Each structure stands twice: as structure tokens, then as C-alpha cells.
Amino acid sequence: NTLGFQWTVGKGCGQADDTWKERFEQLVNFKERVGHCRVPYGFKENPSLAWWVSRQRLHYNKLKQGKPVPLSPERVKMLDDIGFEWAGKAGVMDND
């Protein structure tokens, strides 16, 4: 610490957290618009959100297996609180 060593790895200090929060807000907006959190795979309006949603499910499944993932219990709760569905169907387009 006294040498100025950066303990965080990745895109930079806080950037990964900022990106997660940004995608979460996009998911909240998506849900307000369509009434659910099932962002379709390949969602052309926001492909980054579709990818992010699939990554959250992947991380959650690994978390349940006891593997280390960047998905914290606090984030799981945030997603649970908005009705996130952890068992998505890969490749299924939801047109509700």
C-alpha cells in the first residue's frame, strides 16, 4: 500500500462496479417498459444488456457451485428484488 500498488485488477478502479450499476439500471428500465427482466438473447436494442444478463446467470450458477465469481450476495439481492429470473432460456426470444 505504501508503494502505491493497485490491488484491484480489471478495467480500472471502480470501472467494473460502475458498469455493473449501469447495466442494472438498464435492466430496471427494461422491466419498467416490458414488465419482466427476461432480456432476450441477441436483444438488438441493447446487446450489451443481453450479454450482461446472461453473464449474471452464469455467475450465479457458478456461485451456487461454490466457485469464485464477481457476483456478490448484495448484487444477488438487488437482482432478486426486481424479480430477476435466474433460470433463463438461452437463445429464446421473449416477445411478451
Side-chain angles (χ1 to χ4, degrees):
N1 289 343
T2 59
L3 297 176
F5 184 79
Q6 180 179 343
W7 293 97
T8 306
V9 295
K11 296 180 179 179
C13 291
Q15 188 173 355
D17 282 340
D18 291 345
T19 300
W20 195 93
K21 290 173 188 173
E22 180 182 339
R23 295 288 179 262
F24 179 78
E25 287 302 317
Q26 290 172 356
L27 181 60
V28 169
N29 292 335
F30 177 88
K31 182 181 180 183
E32 289 172 355
R33 243 182 28 244
V34 300
H36 58 74
C37 294
R38 296 182 308 270
V39 179
Y41 182 79
F43 183 48
K44 291 181 181 175
E45 184 180 322
N46 189 342
S48 295
L49 178 60
W51 181 85
W52 181 84
V53 164
S54 69
R55 297 300 294 174
Q56 301 316 297
R57 289 187 178 119
L58 176 69
H59 291 321
Y60 183 74
N61 288 330
K62 287 183 177 185
L63 181 68
K64 287 180 15 182
Q65 296 169 7
K67 297 179 181 177
V69 293
L71 185 63
S72 68
E74 293 81 16
R75 288 179 176 178
V76 170
K77 182 176 179 348
M78 288 173 70
L79 290 164
D80 281 342
D81 287 348
I82 64 165
F84 188 79
E85 296 178 28
W86 295 104
K89 296 178 183 173
V92 174
M93 294 295 289
D94 191 335
N95 295 319
D96 290 352

